[in-house]
Amino acid sequence: MKNLYQIQEICRLYHIGADSLRYYEKIGLIQPQRSEGNYRLYSLSDIWRLNVIRDLLKLGFSTRQIKTYLDARSVATTRSLLDEKEAILRQRIEEMKKDLQDVQNRRQSLEEALSEPMNQVCLRTFEKRRCLLLKENIEHDEDIDFLLTKLSGRLEEQLSILGNVDTGSMLELQPDGSVRCTSVFICTEDESYDFTLEAGDYLTLTYSGRYDTHHEHLRLLQETIENQHLKPAGNFLEFLLIDIHETQRYEEYVTQLQVRVVPA
């Protein structure tokens, strides 16, 4: 086995650039020897230190923290470092478990959306739902993503790049038959919330295709309310179960309208 290695060999071994090795040398993490031609030569001791640097960088330690450890290694500092590494790894495991659960929940929501009966008015019972609200005038459907981004500062963990799960909007049917979206909200299990969607019986209507046809489906909901001698007990709600976040095909969009009803 060789005792000294040139910079190109170390770069290939660690898949890093020569600039990184020069930076490590500059801040004192490694001290390669020099050949007669002034080329850097890395010893087995340098390789050991590079292994430590690589592993600690992966765990999020700064180069300053790594240098402090390498310059004052002892049983006590190694034990302390191992304790810190264990804590970091345990935290990452918990984060990965949550990420896995989020992916599984999203897949389940997607499958449930695809199995919804389309173009049928159904009566369903919902438990009380907590919501965060952002009330603003919304002129375009694309505005919803912008508003959800503003909400993310309050509840970042519950907004998914794989789809706006459990997010909805409140709709108002205008006298001329058009529909106006007055606000967007996100359902949350957090203790901090703005309002609740009350528990009770809801008429729902799920349809596929472009969601800008909601005025037609809202009229069907209204007709059903009248025919069944019911009356609305809240706003009309729109949930985009499948939209631009999951597909670029309009025909694959799935939207669900909801409204809580009581006997007239």
Side-chain angles (χ1 to χ4, degrees):
M1 179 181 291
K2 294 169 58 176
N3 292 324
L4 296 173
Y5 297 82
Q6 294 183 352
I7 192 169
Q8 296 88 346
E9 296 175 292
I10 298 298
C11 288
R12 288 195 297 269
L13 181 63
Y14 287 93
H15 304 289
I16 59 176
D19 287 344
S20 295
L21 290 173
R22 296 188 186 101
Y23 174 70
Y24 294 161
E25 179 182 353
K26 179 180 178 181
I27 63 177
L29 285 176
I30 53 177
Q31 294 295 332
Q33 303 174 31
R34 293 283 181 163
S35 68
E36 292 182 359
N38 203 34
Y39 291 107
R40 292 175 174 83
L41 296 174
Y42 296 85
S43 67
L44 295 178
S45 175
D46 291 318
I47 290 176
W48 172 82
R49 292 173 75 93
L50 284 169
N51 287 337
V52 174
I53 294 167
R54 176 194 59 196
D55 292 344
L56 295 183
L57 285 174
K58 285 182 180 179
L59 290 173
F61 287 90
S62 68
T63 52
R64 177 179 296 180
Q65 290 173 305
I66 296 171
K67 186 176 188 307
T68 298
Y69 168 68
L70 290 175
D71 289 347
R73 293 192 315 281
S74 67
V75 170
T77 58
T78 298
R79 179 181 291 165
S80 176
L81 182 72
L82 291 174
D83 289 342
E84 192 169 354
K85 285 178 66 173
E86 180 179 356
I88 292 172
L89 289 171
R90 288 187 181 279
Q91 180 180 354
R92 288 191 178 181
I93 289 171
E94 292 304 313
E95 291 172 352
M96 291 181 69
K97 285 181 179 179
K98 182 184 180 303
D99 289 342
L100 176 59
Q101 186 64 56
D102 288 344
V103 169
Q104 291 173 337
N105 290 344
R106 186 62 192 120
R107 181 185 291 115
Q108 180 179 347
S109 297
L110 190 63
E111 296 303 325
E112 289 175 354
L114 292 171
S115 64
E116 283 282 344
M118 298 295 166
N119 302 311
Q120 297 180 26
V121 178
C122 303
L123 184 64
R124 300 181 181 182
T125 301
F126 287 92
E127 300 293 332
K128 181 180 290 188
R129 291 169 282 180
R130 297 174 177 177
C131 301
L132 289 175
L133 174 68
L134 184 57
K135 186 170 184 178
E136 292 192 14
N137 291 328
I138 301 171
E139 298 180 358
H140 306 286
D141 292 311
E142 291 79 4
D143 293 340
I144 293 177
D145 268 345
F146 174 73
L147 298 180
L148 288 172
T149 301
K150 293 179 69 174
L151 271 179
S152 67
R154 298 179 59 187
L155 202 63
E156 182 176 357
E157 292 183 354
Q158 295 199 27
L159 292 179
S160 169
I161 61 172
L162 295 178
N164 293 324
V165 185
D166 294 330
T167 62
S169 55
M170 294 186 180
L171 305 178
E172 287 184 358
L173 193 59
Q174 303 299 299
D176 62 0
S178 63
V179 177
R180 179 170 172 264
C181 179
T182 60
S183 58
V184 297
F185 60 88
I186 177 171
C187 297
T188 175
E189 296 180 359
D190 198 78
E191 293 298 324
S192 175
Y193 59 94
D194 297 321
F195 73 100
T196 60
L197 297 175
E198 294 302 319
D201 294 329
Y202 284 73
L203 282 183
T204 68
L205 174 61
T206 307
Y207 63 93
S208 59
R210 298 181 66 99
Y211 44 72
D212 55 8
T213 61
H214 44 206
H215 59 282
E216 302 172 8
H217 299 89
L218 280 174
R219 281 199 295 269
L220 178 56
L221 271 182
Q222 286 186 313
E223 291 173 3
T224 303
I225 290 172
E226 294 174 2
N227 294 337
Q228 296 188 8
H229 306 292
L230 301 170
K231 64 179 181 180
N235 293 297
F236 286 92
L237 309 173
E238 178 184 64
F239 291 89
L240 308 181
L241 305 184
I242 298 178
D243 64 357
I244 192 173
H245 297 89
E246 294 83 19
T247 179
Q248 63 181 359
R249 300 178 179 179
Y250 290 129
E251 66 271 17
E252 292 183 337
Y253 284 15
V254 176
T255 303
Q256 184 175 91
L257 301 174
Q258 299 179 8
V259 61
R260 189 164 71 92
V261 292
V262 295

